[in-house]
Amino acid sequence: QVQLVESGGELVQAGGSLSLSCAASGVTFSSYAMGWFRQAPGKEREFVAGINWSGITTYYGDSVKGRFTISRDNTKSTVYLQMNSLKPEDTAVYYCAAKSRRTVYGGSDYYRFQDYDYWGQGTQVTVSS
């Protein structure tokens, strides 16, 4: 079956950096666009970043533009999220998600969490002030 497993979340000080990974299994990884979302307590799930199947095209939420970078390695079936200049408001559970590339027609298709097919269990990122 399809599995997405996130790792790399931890406690970090404001201004620091963290790298998250999401390893996929049970899927043909290159057939999927990937996204990172986050959810803080009491808040809705928020789009963080998305990447197309080949890794050429990326998209970012406004709150992380210029600080976070999404990338993927199809040979390792893994998507990454490099997070720099972390802020306390980045504290959340971070989820990776997979979306069939056949349902991607443009950048707007990455932003709605309801449109993704598979989800990981999440990894906690805590940024202390």
Side-chain angles (χ1 to χ4, degrees), residues 6 11 19 38 40-41 46-47 59 65 68 71 78 84 86-87 95 99 105 108 112-113 115 124:
E6 302 96 335
L11 173 64
S19 180
R38 67 187 183 187
E46 176 190 14
F47 172 76
Y59 304 90
K65 278 180 183 175
F68 290 12
S71 62
T78 301
N84 298 328
L86 283 162
K87 305 175 182 180
Y95 299 91
K99 176 180 172 64
Y105 302 100
S108 61
R112 282 169 37 93
F113 70 87
D115 294 339
Q124 176 70 48

Side-chain angles (χ1 to χ4, degrees), residues 3-6 22 45 94-98 118-123:
Q3 274 196 314
L4 301 177
V5 180
E6 302 96 335
C22 172
R45 193 162 295 194
Y94 283 71
Y95 299 91
C96 72
Y118 303 107
W119 289 86
Q121 83 290 347
T123 186

